[in-house]
């Protein structure tokens, strides 16, 4: 893989994830699945320095032997992870499921309808959902027709775009939809005795602003999200003179905080969920020390993430 003047070695095994071949007949007693986007797959990292691999090594240093499979796929969001998890959980039978996904969800999930809460509670609904996923994955004609349907729906509803007022954002997704998908993932995981680990995502935009937003309630941040494209965070006044970059940064600063806050909300509902918050450790360092562009991780960023997750797992195991 060629990126920014450098070649990175990628090995995608026969199961479609980054890393060595996996033999399900010889899998260890402890297995974890790590879901996320390009930051998880590590598009600018050698395999040994991706955070799922560093997590394995950090746990092993502490005498806890557990394999973590890197299920990252670039530009994929929480709804994609949900579909993957439903189709893969019974085959891999993990002990842990780690999710690190925030920016992609704000970018790609914010227009489609929320998934009904009975998907994982009603067996018939679950079988229908799995059948649709199987058809999409294995039959090109079905996949093609589904894409046409979604495109027509987007044209009618308006695909979200941080700097285009005519392309609407589904505010309900940030208030309820993202939470509801996580709720369903938790219920399915819990029914199968899987520990769910939710990791707050770093996205350097304006550290002072983001820390301030994190001290707001979700309701307060939702009110700001409604006017992200006309609110000046420096003057605290509405305006129609924001630069395009300001609108973009406002959108991702607010949505990053809101989606991270939803982890805490879910933790209150289900105390057995592990929530990992590495943001304070990231903010000690400058953006260029830990990331390439604010969110894709350098070796130091991967290490912070791996160590933060390992600490929570070891605390649980001990």
């Amino acid at each position: 893989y060629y990126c920014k003047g450098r070649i990175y070695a990628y090995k995608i095994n026969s199961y479609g994830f980054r890393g060595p071949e996996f033999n399900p007949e010889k899998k260890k007693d402890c297995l974890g699945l790590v879901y996320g986007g390009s930051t998880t797959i590590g598009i600018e990292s050698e395999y040994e320095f991706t955070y799922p691999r560093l997590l394995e090594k950090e746990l092993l240093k502490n005498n806890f032997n557990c394999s973590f499979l890197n299920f990252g796929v670039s530009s994929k969001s929480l709804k994609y992870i949900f579909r993957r998890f439903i189709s893969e959980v019974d085959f891999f039978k993990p002990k842990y499921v780690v999710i690190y996904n925030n920016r992609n969800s704000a970018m790609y999930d914010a227009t489609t309808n929320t998934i009904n809460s009975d998907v994982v509670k009603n067996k018939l609904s679950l079988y229908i959902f799995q059948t649709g996923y199987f058809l999409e994955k294995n039959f090109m004609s079905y996949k093609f027709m589904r894409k046409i349907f979604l495109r027509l729906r987007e044209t009618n509803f308006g695909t979200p775009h941080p700097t285009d007022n005519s392309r609407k954002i589904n505010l309900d997704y940030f208030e309820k939809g993202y939470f509801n998908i996580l709720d369903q993932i938790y219920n399915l995981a819990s029914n199968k005795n899987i520990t769910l680990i939710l990791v707050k995502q770093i996205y350097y935009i304006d550290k002072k602003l983001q820390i301030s937003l994190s001290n707001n309630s979700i309701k307060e941040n939702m009110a700001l999200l409604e006017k992200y494209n006309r609110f000046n965070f420096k003057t605290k006044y509405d305006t129609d003179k924001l630069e395009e970059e300001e609108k973009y940064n406002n959108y991702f600063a607010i949505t990053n905080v809101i989606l991270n806050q939803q982890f805490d909300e879910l933790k209150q509902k289900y105390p057995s969920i592990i929530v990992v918050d590495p943001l304070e450790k990231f903010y000690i360092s400058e953006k260029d020390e830990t990331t390439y562009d604010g969110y894709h991780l350098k070796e130091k960023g991967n290490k912070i993430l791996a160590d933060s997750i390992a600490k929570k797992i070891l605390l649980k195991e001990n």
Side-chain angles (χ1 to χ4, degrees):
Y1 176 78
Y2 182 81
C3 184
K4 297 180 181 177
R6 183 176 172 185
I7 296 176
Y8 296 88
Y10 270 53
K11 181 178 180 181
I12 306 298
N13 66 27
S14 57
Y15 285 98
F17 58 83
R18 187 178 185 188
E21 282 298 332
F22 172 76
N23 187 342
E25 296 179 357
K26 295 182 179 180
K27 68 180 179 182
K28 301 174 184 177
D29 291 335
C30 181
L31 178 67
L33 308 182
V34 185
Y35 289 99
S38 53
T39 50
T40 296
I41 196 173
I43 63 169
E44 296 176 24
S45 302
E46 299 292 348
Y47 171 72
E48 288 298 319
F49 299 109
T50 58
Y51 78 84
R53 177 62 178 138
L54 290 175
L55 173 58
E56 287 182 334
K57 292 192 277 190
E58 182 63 23
L59 291 173
L60 195 56
K61 277 170 46 181
N62 289 274
N63 301 313
F64 185 66
N65 192 359
C66 191
S67 295
F68 280 83
L69 306 183
N70 188 329
F71 276 18
V73 180
S74 293
S75 301
K76 296 302 183 183
S77 61
L78 187 64
K79 288 189 177 182
Y80 171 84
I81 290 170
F82 180 59
R83 294 196 299 269
R84 284 275 307 272
F85 178 58
I86 284 178
S87 69
E88 294 167 340
V89 63
D90 288 330
F91 177 79
F92 288 99
K93 295 181 173 61
K95 181 175 183 179
Y96 292 102
V97 165
V98 181
I99 295 177
Y100 182 68
N101 189 278
N102 180 312
R103 180 184 180 275
N104 286 347
S105 295
M107 178 71 83
Y108 303 116
D109 277 355
T111 55
T112 52
N113 296 330
T114 54
I115 301 174
N116 293 331
S117 59
D118 67 347
V119 169
V120 299
K121 297 176 182 178
N122 181 295
K123 287 187 177 181
L124 177 60
S125 298
L126 178 59
Y127 293 151
I128 293 172
F129 190 89
Q130 288 176 319
T131 300
Y133 181 75
F134 174 83
L135 291 171
E136 182 181 355
K137 187 176 180 181
N138 293 280
F139 294 94
M140 292 299 294
S141 58
Y142 179 88
K143 187 174 184 179
F144 176 70
M145 294 303 296
R146 186 172 185 275
K147 282 184 176 293
I148 291 176
F149 169 75
L150 290 175
R151 178 57 61 191
L152 290 172
R153 187 169 65 180
E154 285 179 359
T155 301
N156 180 58
F157 186 74
T159 303
H161 191 278
T163 61
D164 185 348
N165 291 338
S166 67
R167 299 169 72 184
K168 299 176 183 177
I169 295 167
N170 183 1
L171 293 171
D172 183 70
Y173 176 76
F174 296 102
E175 189 171 21
K176 300 176 183 177
Y178 187 82
F179 180 93
N180 288 341
I181 300 172
L182 289 173
D183 189 287
Q184 293 167 74
I185 291 173
Y186 168 78
N187 277 286
L188 181 56
S190 178
N191 289 338
K192 297 179 181 297
N193 296 315
I194 299 167
T195 298
L196 179 61
I197 302 175
L198 303 176
V199 186
K200 295 186 178 182
Q201 186 167 16
I202 183 65
Y203 192 177
Y204 291 92
I205 296 173
D206 182 326
K207 180 170 68 174
K208 186 177 179 180
L209 168 63
Q210 289 168 276
I211 291 173
S212 175
L213 290 172
S214 68
N215 292 324
N216 290 345
S217 67
I218 291 178
K219 183 177 180 180
E220 289 171 324
N221 283 330
M222 285 298 303
L224 290 174
L225 178 57
E226 290 187 50
K227 55 181 182 178
Y228 74 91
N229 55 4
R230 64 179 191 276
F231 186 75
N232 188 314
F233 282 102
K234 294 179 181 178
T235 64
K236 306 297 182 183
Y237 289 112
D238 287 5
T239 176
D240 58 359
K241 296 180 179 180
L242 287 183
E243 298 292 333
E244 297 304 293
E245 184 177 359
E246 290 179 284
K247 297 176 186 179
Y248 183 91
N249 287 338
N250 280 356
Y251 177 77
F252 283 109
I254 298 169
T255 57
N256 172 261
V257 171
I258 290 172
L259 297 185
N260 281 334
Q261 288 178 314
Q262 295 292 5
F263 291 175
D264 298 321
E265 291 291 303
L266 201 70
K267 172 74 173 177
Q268 288 186 20
K269 185 175 181 180
Y270 304 116
S272 63
I273 289 175
I274 294 176
V275 173
V276 179
D277 186 352
L279 302 186
E280 186 175 339
K281 292 181 179 178
F282 273 103
Y283 285 147
I284 292 172
S285 303
E286 294 300 318
K287 168 183 172 180
D288 293 341
E289 292 181 75
T290 59
T291 71
Y292 291 96
D293 51 11
Y295 54 97
H296 288 112
L297 302 174
K298 292 183 176 179
E299 183 177 338
K300 183 175 180 179
N302 278 307
K303 185 72 164 59
I304 290 173
L305 213 55
D307 290 351
S308 300
I309 299 169
K311 183 178 180 180
K312 289 283 190 174
I313 291 175
L314 291 170
L315 187 64
K316 178 183 184 298
E317 292 294 331
N318 295 328

